[in-house]
Amino acid sequence: MIRFSGITPSGHATLGNHLGAIRRWAREGGPGDLYFVSDLHGMTSAYHPQRLRVRARELLATLVAAGIEADQVFVQSDLLPQLGTLTWILECTCSFGEAARMTQFKEKSARRELEATPVRVGLFTYPVLMAADILLQGADEVPVGDDQAQHVELARTLARRFNGTFGEAFVVPAAVTPPAAARVRDLANPARKMDKSARDAVGVLYVMDEPDLLRRKIKRAVTDGLGRLEFRPDEQPGLANLLEILAACTGKPARDVPAEYSSYAELKEAVAEAVIEELRPVRERTKELLDDGVELDRIRARGAELAAERSAHRLATARRLAGVG
Ligand code: TRP
């Protein structure tokens, strides 16, 4: 069984990425699973090439540092020739209407238009590249957040259509949306999720932040003037966010946490300690891997080789059936 998922280096990994995806992949992953850094997906809006390169490398190191097996990770752009090929084949099976219905595209393109920034064709075809990611590796299950479920659904549709029209080439993947481990919100604005591409980082905890910085950001987290230590996400979203974070780091239900503290300040202190200890081993190991470039290069090259080998036969079959190979 291949479980398969990716993370885009549109910024440094956050505590939200760690608790919601990376740590989970490391803990729950099976021996056939594959996880990858989707750097090609970081090109659909204005970006800085050197920064993209550095962040992709850092994220690869973080996946390994968090405990995902080194031979189960790869970087998407290392498969660019294969993905470019398959994306084109799939684009020629996908209707304009299907791509135009993608909620994420509609939201992002509307936002760009408001800001008067161009909407790139890559933003429009991104879900087809995502389908290519999934179908190329023969993934059985794709665990994603709710925002990506529609894209996995498109991958299923395109797989079935290709198989039905040209012949069997692809596994039809299942979308699984695991219940959120923790809905981590921005500490400065709990109405927003903690976003690695946020412009303002005061409310965003990064995996690579030093302990002092984590502590400072948590101390400044927005709460409320009620002084009630209870888990009430609707009435006290900032406080509930802190409780969720502490719960996710300590493995306790968020509702049970308040009883242990008598003030917001005391709670924040505990949250800071828990987050620092949760992230410390990952940050330290990520640093080691980045410092010793040789080991990371080896992991990256091996991951690319395995992913290419795994997909070679499927890609050849798809090309042959599509009349272009
Ligand atoms: N689009 C996903 C995201 O932004 C990342 C991603 C790219 C992905 N390709 C994928 C996830 C394939 C699962 C499978 O979060």
Side-chain angles (χ1 to χ4, degrees):
M1 218 272 291
I2 302 181
R3 218 181 282 129
F4 180 74
S5 200
I7 179 163
T8 304
S10 48
H12 298 287
T14 68
L15 177 71
N17 300 132
H18 172 76
L19 296 174
I22 302 171
R23 182 178 79 168
R24 183 169 214 157
W25 298 342
R27 283 188 180 170
E28 297 170 15
D33 294 2
L34 278 173
Y35 300 101
F36 74 107
V37 177
S38 46
D39 54 348
L40 300 175
H41 288 234
M43 300 166 65
T44 56
S45 55
Y47 73 98
H48 190 294
Q50 186 52 19
R51 213 173 288 154
L52 181 67
R53 189 190 306 284
V54 168
R55 284 177 181 168
R57 189 173 173 77
E58 182 183 287
L59 205 43
L60 177 71
T62 300
L63 296 185
V64 176
I68 301 174
E69 291 296 327
D71 57 2
Q72 292 177 245
V73 292
F74 69 93
V75 177
Q76 187 186 26
S77 58
D78 291 340
L79 265 69
L80 187 50
Q82 293 91 332
L83 287 169
T85 304
L86 186 54
T87 299
W88 178 249
I89 292 172
L90 294 174
E91 279 179 9
C92 295
T93 70
C94 180
S95 75
F96 183 86
E98 279 170 324
R101 267 201 296 281
M102 295 293 117
T103 306
Q104 193 179 61
F105 172 74
K106 288 198 277 191
E107 286 175 2
K108 286 196 176 177
S109 57
R111 224 177 300 146
R112 308 256 153 96
E113 264 156 29
L114 277 180
E115 296 163 354
T117 41
V119 177
R120 299 176 182 205
V121 174
L123 184 69
F124 184 68
T125 57
Y126 159 122
V128 187
L129 173 60
M130 186 162 157
D133 291 328
I134 296 167
L135 302 185
L136 186 66
Q137 299 302 329
D140 299 291
E141 263 187 17
V142 185
V144 286
D146 292 337
D147 62 327
Q148 298 294 319
Q150 195 185 26
H151 295 160
V152 181
E153 200 48 52
L154 181 69
R156 287 167 59 79
T157 302
L158 298 183
R160 280 205 221 94
R161 182 174 303 151
F162 186 100
N163 290 348
T165 310
F166 298 117
E168 284 293 319
F170 299 118
V171 176
V172 179
V176 287
T177 39
R183 265 176 293 273
V184 181
R185 324 293 307 174
D186 191 299
L187 298 181
N189 178 3
R192 252 194 340 230
K193 87 171 195 194
M194 190 178 279
D195 181 1
K196 57 176 142 40
S197 40
R199 287 221 182 113
D200 189 353
V202 286
V204 182
L205 304 172
Y206 296 103
V207 174
M208 295 305 285
D209 280 347
E210 296 287 335
D212 279 352
L213 184 54
L214 291 171
R215 186 171 282 114
R216 256 182 288 141
K217 287 179 179 173
I218 291 166
K219 279 210 173 129
R220 277 198 227 121
V222 167
T223 50
D224 53 69
L226 300 174
R228 266 176 78 165
L229 264 163
E230 276 174 44
F231 182 67
R232 302 193 305 164
D234 292 336
E235 292 86 0
Q236 296 174 269
L239 184 69
N241 187 33
L242 291 170
L243 293 170
E244 286 227 26
I245 291 172
L246 185 52
C249 292
T250 55
K252 288 181 198 150
R255 296 189 179 284
D256 297 351
V257 175
E260 297 172 36
Y261 303 96
S262 56
S263 70
Y264 290 2
E266 200 190 325
L267 172 71
K268 284 181 171 180
E269 193 48 52
V271 173
E273 279 317 303
V275 169
I276 288 167
E277 291 319 313
E278 176 66 35
L279 295 180
R280 185 191 302 282
V282 184
R283 177 175 48 91
E284 287 177 354
R285 180 76 184 120
T286 301
K287 260 195 175 156
E288 278 169 23
L289 284 163
L290 291 171
D291 290 347
D292 168 19
V294 179
E295 191 187 354
L296 192 58
D297 287 343
R298 195 185 49 71
I299 290 171
R300 180 167 175 167
R302 181 76 184 134
E305 188 181 306
L306 288 171
E309 278 172 12
R310 189 180 305 102
S311 57
H313 183 67
R314 194 169 294 108
L315 183 61
T317 304
R319 285 187 56 168
R320 183 172 46 74
L321 291 170
V324 288

mmCIF file of all heavy atoms in Angstrom, residues 223-264:
data_model
loop_
_atom_site.group_PDB
_atom_site.id
_atom_site.type_symbol
_atom_site.label_atom_id
_atom_site.label_comp_id
_atom_site.label_asym_id
_atom_site.label_seq_id
_atom_site.Cartn_x
_atom_site.Cartn_y
_atom_site.Cartn_z
ATOM 1 N N THR A 223 -4.840 36.854 23.256
ATOM 2 C CA THR A 223 -5.861 36.078 23.993
ATOM 3 C C THR A 223 -7.121 36.923 24.108
ATOM 4 O O THR A 223 -7.678 37.318 23.092
ATOM 5 C CB THR A 223 -5.346 35.610 25.370
ATOM 6 O OG1 THR A 223 -4.783 36.728 26.065
ATOM 7 C CG2 THR A 223 -4.297 34.516 25.237
ATOM 8 N N ASP A 224 -7.571 37.206 25.326
ATOM 9 C CA ASP A 224 -8.789 37.999 25.510
ATOM 10 C C ASP A 224 -8.761 38.561 26.910
ATOM 11 O O ASP A 224 -7.877 38.227 27.698
ATOM 12 C CB ASP A 224 -10.029 37.108 25.305
ATOM 13 C CG ASP A 224 -9.966 35.871 26.190
ATOM 14 O OD1 ASP A 224 -10.089 36.017 27.419
ATOM 15 O OD2 ASP A 224 -9.757 34.757 25.660
ATOM 16 N N GLY A 225 -9.740 39.395 27.232
ATOM 17 C CA GLY A 225 -9.745 40.009 28.560
ATOM 18 C C GLY A 225 -10.658 39.292 29.534
ATOM 19 O O GLY A 225 -10.944 39.792 30.619
ATOM 20 N N LEU A 226 -11.142 38.107 29.161
ATOM 21 C CA LEU A 226 -12.135 37.429 29.994
ATOM 22 C C LEU A 226 -11.520 36.761 31.215
ATOM 23 O O LEU A 226 -12.186 36.601 32.238
ATOM 24 C CB LEU A 226 -12.893 36.381 29.171
ATOM 25 C CG LEU A 226 -13.653 36.923 27.961
ATOM 26 C CD1 LEU A 226 -14.241 35.787 27.132
ATOM 27 C CD2 LEU A 226 -14.748 37.882 28.414
ATOM 28 N N GLY A 227 -10.264 36.359 31.082
ATOM 29 C CA GLY A 227 -9.606 35.697 32.216
ATOM 30 C C GLY A 227 -10.208 34.343 32.556
ATOM 31 O O GLY A 227 -10.037 33.849 33.659
ATOM 32 N N ARG A 228 -10.926 33.753 31.612
ATOM 33 C CA ARG A 228 -11.550 32.433 31.863
ATOM 34 C C ARG A 228 -10.745 31.341 31.193
ATOM 35 O O ARG A 228 -10.641 31.299 29.974
ATOM 36 C CB ARG A 228 -12.937 32.409 31.218
ATOM 37 C CG ARG A 228 -14.041 32.795 32.143
ATOM 38 C CD ARG A 228 -15.348 32.829 31.392
ATOM 39 N NE ARG A 228 -15.895 31.486 31.169
ATOM 40 C CZ ARG A 228 -17.140 31.278 30.800
ATOM 41 N NH1 ARG A 228 -17.955 32.301 30.595
ATOM 42 N NH2 ARG A 228 -17.583 30.059 30.621
ATOM 43 N N LEU A 229 -10.195 30.452 31.981
ATOM 44 C CA LEU A 229 -9.404 29.366 31.406
ATOM 45 C C LEU A 229 -10.309 28.190 31.043
ATOM 46 O O LEU A 229 -10.501 27.263 31.826
ATOM 47 C CB LEU A 229 -8.333 28.932 32.403
ATOM 48 C CG LEU A 229 -6.965 29.576 32.165
ATOM 49 C CD1 LEU A 229 -6.085 29.450 33.389
ATOM 50 C CD2 LEU A 229 -6.270 28.977 30.959
ATOM 51 N N GLU A 230 -10.878 28.299 29.841
ATOM 52 C CA GLU A 230 -11.752 27.227 29.353
ATOM 53 C C GLU A 230 -11.509 27.043 27.876
ATOM 54 O O GLU A 230 -11.073 27.972 27.199
ATOM 55 C CB GLU A 230 -13.221 27.615 29.567
ATOM 56 C CG GLU A 230 -13.727 27.319 30.950
ATOM 57 C CD GLU A 230 -15.137 27.848 31.148
ATOM 58 O OE1 GLU A 230 -15.971 27.662 30.237
ATOM 59 O OE2 GLU A 230 -15.372 28.474 32.194
ATOM 60 N N PHE A 231 -11.827 25.865 27.382
ATOM 61 C CA PHE A 231 -11.644 25.602 25.957
ATOM 62 C C PHE A 231 -12.938 25.955 25.227
ATOM 63 O O PHE A 231 -13.877 25.171 25.155
ATOM 64 C CB PHE A 231 -11.285 24.125 25.746
ATOM 65 C CG PHE A 231 -11.035 23.789 24.299
ATOM 66 C CD1 PHE A 231 -9.936 24.320 23.628
ATOM 67 C CD2 PHE A 231 -11.876 22.946 23.599
ATOM 68 C CE1 PHE A 231 -9.702 24.015 22.285
ATOM 69 C CE2 PHE A 231 -11.648 22.637 22.261
ATOM 70 C CZ PHE A 231 -10.560 23.178 21.604
ATOM 71 N N ARG A 232 -12.989 27.201 24.723
ATOM 72 C CA ARG A 232 -14.185 27.654 24.014
ATOM 73 C C ARG A 232 -13.761 28.317 22.709
ATOM 74 O O ARG A 232 -13.631 29.549 22.635
ATOM 75 C CB ARG A 232 -14.965 28.650 24.881
ATOM 76 C CG ARG A 232 -15.392 28.071 26.233
ATOM 77 C CD ARG A 232 -16.412 28.945 26.915
ATOM 78 N NE ARG A 232 -15.944 30.324 27.053
ATOM 79 C CZ ARG A 232 -16.720 31.364 27.333
ATOM 80 N NH1 ARG A 232 -18.024 31.180 27.504
ATOM 81 N NH2 ARG A 232 -16.224 32.568 27.446
ATOM 82 N N PRO A 233 -13.532 27.506 21.657
ATOM 83 C CA PRO A 233 -12.963 28.031 20.405
ATOM 84 C C PRO A 233 -13.754 29.196 19.807
ATOM 85 O O PRO A 233 -13.143 30.105 19.245
ATOM 86 C CB PRO A 233 -12.984 26.817 19.475
ATOM 87 C CG PRO A 233 -12.998 25.632 20.379
ATOM 88 C CD PRO A 233 -13.724 26.049 21.617
ATOM 89 N N ASP A 234 -15.082 29.209 19.947
ATOM 90 C CA ASP A 234 -15.852 30.297 19.324
ATOM 91 C C ASP A 234 -15.712 31.600 20.093
ATOM 92 O O ASP A 234 -15.539 32.664 19.515
ATOM 93 C CB ASP A 234 -17.334 29.920 19.211
ATOM 94 C CG ASP A 234 -17.520 28.795 18.199
ATOM 95 O OD1 ASP A 234 -16.644 28.664 17.311
ATOM 96 O OD2 ASP A 234 -18.496 28.038 18.315
ATOM 97 N N GLU A 235 -15.774 31.509 21.424
ATOM 98 C CA GLU A 235 -15.725 32.738 22.226
ATOM 99 C C GLU A 235 -14.301 33.195 22.511
ATOM 100 O O GLU A 235 -14.051 34.377 22.671
ATOM 101 C CB GLU A 235 -16.444 32.542 23.574
ATOM 102 C CG GLU A 235 -17.950 32.367 23.483
ATOM 103 C CD GLU A 235 -18.342 30.907 23.248
ATOM 104 O OE1 GLU A 235 -17.426 30.054 23.152
ATOM 105 O OE2 GLU A 235 -19.547 30.636 23.137
ATOM 106 N N GLN A 236 -13.367 32.243 22.644
ATOM 107 C CA GLN A 236 -11.987 32.590 23.017
ATOM 108 C C GLN A 236 -10.999 31.896 22.057
ATOM 109 O O GLN A 236 -10.266 30.984 22.469
ATOM 110 C CB GLN A 236 -11.720 32.153 24.469
ATOM 111 C CG GLN A 236 -12.592 32.884 25.490
ATOM 112 C CD GLN A 236 -12.417 32.324 26.903
ATOM 113 O OE1 GLN A 236 -13.130 31.418 27.322
ATOM 114 N NE2 GLN A 236 -11.450 32.845 27.636
ATOM 115 N N PRO A 237 -11.016 32.329 20.795
ATOM 116 C CA PRO A 237 -10.233 31.592 19.780
ATOM 117 C C PRO A 237 -8.727 31.607 20.040
ATOM 118 O O PRO A 237 -8.048 30.603 19.778
ATOM 119 C CB PRO A 237 -10.571 32.308 18.469
ATOM 120 C CG PRO A 237 -11.113 33.648 18.858
ATOM 121 C CD PRO A 237 -11.753 33.466 20.208
ATOM 122 N N GLY A 238 -8.203 32.712 20.556
ATOM 123 C CA GLY A 238 -6.759 32.774 20.804
ATOM 124 C C GLY A 238 -6.346 31.795 21.891
ATOM 125 O O GLY A 238 -5.381 31.039 21.746
ATOM 126 N N LEU A 239 -7.117 31.798 22.967
ATOM 127 C CA LEU A 239 -6.834 30.888 24.079
ATOM 128 C C LEU A 239 -6.997 29.434 23.631
ATOM 129 O O LEU A 239 -6.152 28.578 23.925
ATOM 130 C CB LEU A 239 -7.790 31.197 25.242
ATOM 131 C CG LEU A 239 -7.542 30.383 26.501
ATOM 132 C CD1 LEU A 239 -6.235 30.797 27.166
ATOM 133 C CD2 LEU A 239 -8.699 30.533 27.478
ATOM 134 N N ALA A 240 -8.071 29.170 22.880
ATOM 135 C CA ALA A 240 -8.329 27.798 22.417
ATOM 136 C C ALA A 240 -7.175 27.308 21.543
ATOM 137 O O ALA A 240 -6.784 26.141 21.608
ATOM 138 C CB ALA A 240 -9.640 27.744 21.643
ATOM 139 N N ASN A 241 -6.618 28.212 20.751
ATOM 140 C CA ASN A 241 -5.485 27.853 19.904
ATOM 141 C C ASN A 241 -4.292 27.410 20.759
ATOM 142 O O ASN A 241 -3.662 26.391 20.491
ATOM 143 C CB ASN A 241 -5.116 29.061 19.035
ATOM 144 C CG ASN A 241 -4.062 28.744 17.997
ATOM 145 O OD1 ASN A 241 -4.005 27.636 17.479
ATOM 146 N ND2 ASN A 241 -3.220 29.724 17.701
ATOM 147 N N LEU A 242 -4.014 28.174 21.812
ATOM 148 C CA LEU A 242 -2.907 27.803 22.708
ATOM 149 C C LEU A 242 -3.173 26.448 23.358
ATOM 150 O O LEU A 242 -2.270 25.618 23.495
ATOM 151 C CB LEU A 242 -2.715 28.876 23.789
ATOM 152 C CG LEU A 242 -2.183 30.221 23.292
ATOM 153 C CD1 LEU A 242 -2.265 31.275 24.407
ATOM 154 C CD2 LEU A 242 -0.739 30.100 22.795
ATOM 155 N N LEU A 243 -4.424 26.228 23.752
ATOM 156 C CA LEU A 243 -4.766 24.954 24.383
ATOM 157 C C LEU A 243 -4.614 23.800 23.392
ATOM 158 O O LEU A 243 -4.124 22.724 23.741
ATOM 159 C CB LEU A 243 -6.203 25.005 24.933
ATOM 160 C CG LEU A 243 -6.417 25.981 26.103
ATOM 161 C CD1 LEU A 243 -7.908 26.148 26.404
ATOM 162 C CD2 LEU A 243 -5.674 25.509 27.357
ATOM 163 N N GLU A 244 -5.007 24.037 22.145
ATOM 164 C CA GLU A 244 -4.874 22.988 21.117
ATOM 165 C C GLU A 244 -3.410 22.661 20.864
ATOM 166 O O GLU A 244 -3.034 21.503 20.695
ATOM 167 C CB GLU A 244 -5.504 23.436 19.790
ATOM 168 C CG GLU A 244 -7.013 23.429 19.836
ATOM 169 C CD GLU A 244 -7.642 22.762 18.603
ATOM 170 O OE1 GLU A 244 -6.983 21.902 17.979
ATOM 171 O OE2 GLU A 244 -8.785 23.111 18.288
ATOM 172 N N ILE A 245 -2.598 23.708 20.829
ATOM 173 C CA ILE A 245 -1.169 23.489 20.582
ATOM 174 C C ILE A 245 -0.561 22.679 21.723
ATOM 175 O O ILE A 245 0.147 21.694 21.503
ATOM 176 C CB ILE A 245 -0.435 24.848 20.416
ATOM 177 C CG1 ILE A 245 -0.866 25.518 19.101
ATOM 178 C CG2 ILE A 245 1.079 24.657 20.456
ATOM 179 C CD1 ILE A 245 -0.367 26.938 18.926
ATOM 180 N N LEU A 246 -0.883 23.084 22.947
ATOM 181 C CA LEU A 246 -0.341 22.363 24.104
ATOM 182 C C LEU A 246 -0.834 20.920 24.103
ATOM 183 O O LEU A 246 -0.061 19.980 24.356
ATOM 184 C CB LEU A 246 -0.745 23.089 25.403
ATOM 185 C CG LEU A 246 -0.162 22.534 26.697
ATOM 186 C CD1 LEU A 246 1.347 22.400 26.631
ATOM 187 C CD2 LEU A 246 -0.555 23.418 27.883
ATOM 188 N N ALA A 247 -2.107 20.748 23.775
ATOM 189 C CA ALA A 247 -2.684 19.399 23.749
ATOM 190 C C ALA A 247 -1.965 18.533 22.708
ATOM 191 O O ALA A 247 -1.610 17.388 22.973
ATOM 192 C CB ALA A 247 -4.175 19.486 23.445
ATOM 193 N N ALA A 248 -1.740 19.108 21.525
ATOM 194 C CA ALA A 248 -1.103 18.321 20.460
ATOM 195 C C ALA A 248 0.340 17.963 20.831
ATOM 196 O O ALA A 248 0.830 16.902 20.470
ATOM 197 C CB ALA A 248 -1.133 19.096 19.146
ATOM 198 N N CYS A 249 1.009 18.860 21.549
ATOM 199 C CA CYS A 249 2.399 18.571 21.935
ATOM 200 C C CYS A 249 2.481 17.561 23.072
ATOM 201 O O CYS A 249 3.456 16.827 23.178
ATOM 202 C CB CYS A 249 3.121 19.857 22.347
ATOM 203 S SG CYS A 249 3.401 20.991 20.977
ATOM 204 N N THR A 250 1.453 17.538 23.936
ATOM 205 C CA THR A 250 1.546 16.669 25.110
ATOM 206 C C THR A 250 0.689 15.417 24.981
ATOM 207 O O THR A 250 0.754 14.531 25.836
ATOM 208 C CB THR A 250 1.099 17.429 26.393
ATOM 209 O OG1 THR A 250 -0.220 17.942 26.153
ATOM 210 C CG2 THR A 250 2.038 18.569 26.713
ATOM 211 N N GLY A 251 -0.148 15.374 23.938
ATOM 212 C CA GLY A 251 -0.977 14.185 23.729
ATOM 213 C C GLY A 251 -2.217 14.118 24.608
ATOM 214 O O GLY A 251 -2.814 13.066 24.766
ATOM 215 N N LYS A 252 -2.602 15.263 25.180
ATOM 216 C CA LYS A 252 -3.830 15.277 25.997
ATOM 217 C C LYS A 252 -4.954 15.948 25.226
ATOM 218 O O LYS A 252 -4.684 16.784 24.375
ATOM 219 C CB LYS A 252 -3.608 16.128 27.254
ATOM 220 C CG LYS A 252 -2.721 15.500 28.258
ATOM 221 C CD LYS A 252 -2.614 16.433 29.468
ATOM 222 C CE LYS A 252 -1.405 16.051 30.295
ATOM 223 N NZ LYS A 252 -0.812 17.182 30.983
ATOM 224 N N PRO A 253 -6.226 15.664 25.547
ATOM 225 C CA PRO A 253 -7.313 16.399 24.892
ATOM 226 C C PRO A 253 -7.299 17.869 25.318
ATOM 227 O O PRO A 253 -7.059 18.169 26.499
ATOM 228 C CB PRO A 253 -8.589 15.714 25.406
ATOM 229 C CG PRO A 253 -8.148 14.474 26.122
ATOM 230 C CD PRO A 253 -6.703 14.645 26.494
ATOM 231 N N ALA A 254 -7.576 18.771 24.367
ATOM 232 C CA ALA A 254 -7.505 20.211 24.644
ATOM 233 C C ALA A 254 -8.434 20.627 25.783
ATOM 234 O O ALA A 254 -8.135 21.540 26.545
ATOM 235 C CB ALA A 254 -7.825 21.000 23.377
ATOM 236 N N ARG A 255 -9.570 19.944 25.902
ATOM 237 C CA ARG A 255 -10.541 20.308 26.955
ATOM 238 C C ARG A 255 -9.982 20.082 28.351
ATOM 239 O O ARG A 255 -10.399 20.732 29.307
ATOM 240 C CB ARG A 255 -11.783 19.421 26.891
ATOM 241 C CG ARG A 255 -12.513 19.588 25.703
ATOM 242 C CD ARG A 255 -13.859 18.947 25.570
ATOM 243 N NE ARG A 255 -14.311 19.346 24.260
ATOM 244 C CZ ARG A 255 -14.766 20.546 23.990
ATOM 245 N NH1 ARG A 255 -14.924 21.435 24.955
ATOM 246 N NH2 ARG A 255 -15.077 20.886 22.767
ATOM 247 N N ASP A 256 -9.074 19.116 28.473
ATOM 248 C CA ASP A 256 -8.573 18.772 29.808
ATOM 249 C C ASP A 256 -7.426 19.668 30.265
ATOM 250 O O ASP A 256 -7.058 19.660 31.429
ATOM 251 C CB ASP A 256 -8.070 17.319 29.831
ATOM 252 C CG ASP A 256 -9.188 16.333 29.545
ATOM 253 O OD1 ASP A 256 -10.354 16.793 29.507
ATOM 254 O OD2 ASP A 256 -8.905 15.147 29.342
ATOM 255 N N VAL A 257 -6.878 20.429 29.350
ATOM 256 C CA VAL A 257 -5.683 21.204 29.679
ATOM 257 C C VAL A 257 -5.949 22.338 30.690
ATOM 258 O O VAL A 257 -5.175 22.502 31.640
ATOM 259 C CB VAL A 257 -5.005 21.750 28.398
ATOM 260 C CG1 VAL A 257 -3.842 22.661 28.746
ATOM 261 C CG2 VAL A 257 -4.538 20.608 27.503
ATOM 262 N N PRO A 258 -7.054 23.132 30.532
ATOM 263 C CA PRO A 258 -7.200 24.330 31.364
ATOM 264 C C PRO A 258 -7.125 24.067 32.862
ATOM 265 O O PRO A 258 -6.584 24.877 33.614
ATOM 266 C CB PRO A 258 -8.593 24.861 31.000
ATOM 267 C CG PRO A 258 -8.898 24.284 29.673
ATOM 268 C CD PRO A 258 -8.161 22.990 29.580
ATOM 269 N N ALA A 259 -7.618 22.930 33.307
ATOM 270 C CA ALA A 259 -7.658 22.633 34.737
ATOM 271 C C ALA A 259 -6.285 22.724 35.395
ATOM 272 O O ALA A 259 -6.179 22.976 36.594
ATOM 273 C CB ALA A 259 -8.234 21.234 34.938
ATOM 274 N N GLU A 260 -5.246 22.559 34.604
ATOM 275 C CA GLU A 260 -3.902 22.516 35.200
ATOM 276 C C GLU A 260 -3.281 23.893 35.413
ATOM 277 O O GLU A 260 -2.219 23.992 36.016
ATOM 278 C CB GLU A 260 -2.970 21.691 34.308
ATOM 279 C CG GLU A 260 -3.417 20.240 34.192
ATOM 280 C CD GLU A 260 -2.601 19.491 33.156
ATOM 281 O OE1 GLU A 260 -1.386 19.769 33.030
ATOM 282 O OE2 GLU A 260 -3.190 18.646 32.461
ATOM 283 N N TYR A 261 -3.936 24.953 34.930
ATOM 284 C CA TYR A 261 -3.301 26.280 34.995
ATOM 285 C C TYR A 261 -4.218 27.290 35.654
ATOM 286 O O TYR A 261 -5.435 27.170 35.606
ATOM 287 C CB TYR A 261 -2.900 26.734 33.583
ATOM 288 C CG TYR A 261 -1.976 25.722 32.959
ATOM 289 C CD1 TYR A 261 -2.474 24.731 32.113
ATOM 290 C CD2 TYR A 261 -0.631 25.694 33.302
ATOM 291 C CE1 TYR A 261 -1.648 23.756 31.599
ATOM 292 C CE2 TYR A 261 0.212 24.716 32.795
ATOM 293 C CZ TYR A 261 -0.309 23.750 31.942
ATOM 294 O OH TYR A 261 0.525 22.781 31.462
ATOM 295 N N SER A 262 -3.587 28.318 36.265
ATOM 296 C CA SER A 262 -4.427 29.293 36.944
ATOM 297 C C SER A 262 -4.398 30.662 36.271
ATOM 298 O O SER A 262 -5.155 31.538 36.648
ATOM 299 C CB SER A 262 -3.998 29.412 38.410
ATOM 300 O OG SER A 262 -2.630 29.731 38.445
ATOM 301 N N SER A 263 -3.523 30.857 35.282
ATOM 302 C CA SER A 263 -3.535 32.151 34.589
ATOM 303 C C SER A 263 -3.088 31.967 33.142
ATOM 304 O O SER A 263 -2.437 30.973 32.811
ATOM 305 C CB SER A 263 -2.597 33.142 35.280
ATOM 306 O OG SER A 263 -1.256 32.733 35.066
ATOM 307 N N TYR A 264 -3.406 32.948 32.320
ATOM 308 C CA TYR A 264 -2.979 32.902 30.918
ATOM 309 C C TYR A 264 -1.451 32.867 30.843
ATOM 310 O O TYR A 264 -0.876 32.171 30.019
ATOM 311 C CB TYR A 264 -3.489 34.111 30.131
ATOM 312 C CG TYR A 264 -4.992 34.146 29.878
ATOM 313 C CD1 TYR A 264 -5.833 33.156 30.364
ATOM 314 C CD2 TYR A 264 -5.550 35.181 29.133
ATOM 315 C CE1 TYR A 264 -7.194 33.204 30.122
ATOM 316 C CE2 TYR A 264 -6.910 35.239 28.879
ATOM 317 C CZ TYR A 264 -7.736 34.246 29.375
ATOM 318 O OH TYR A 264 -9.082 34.310 29.122
#
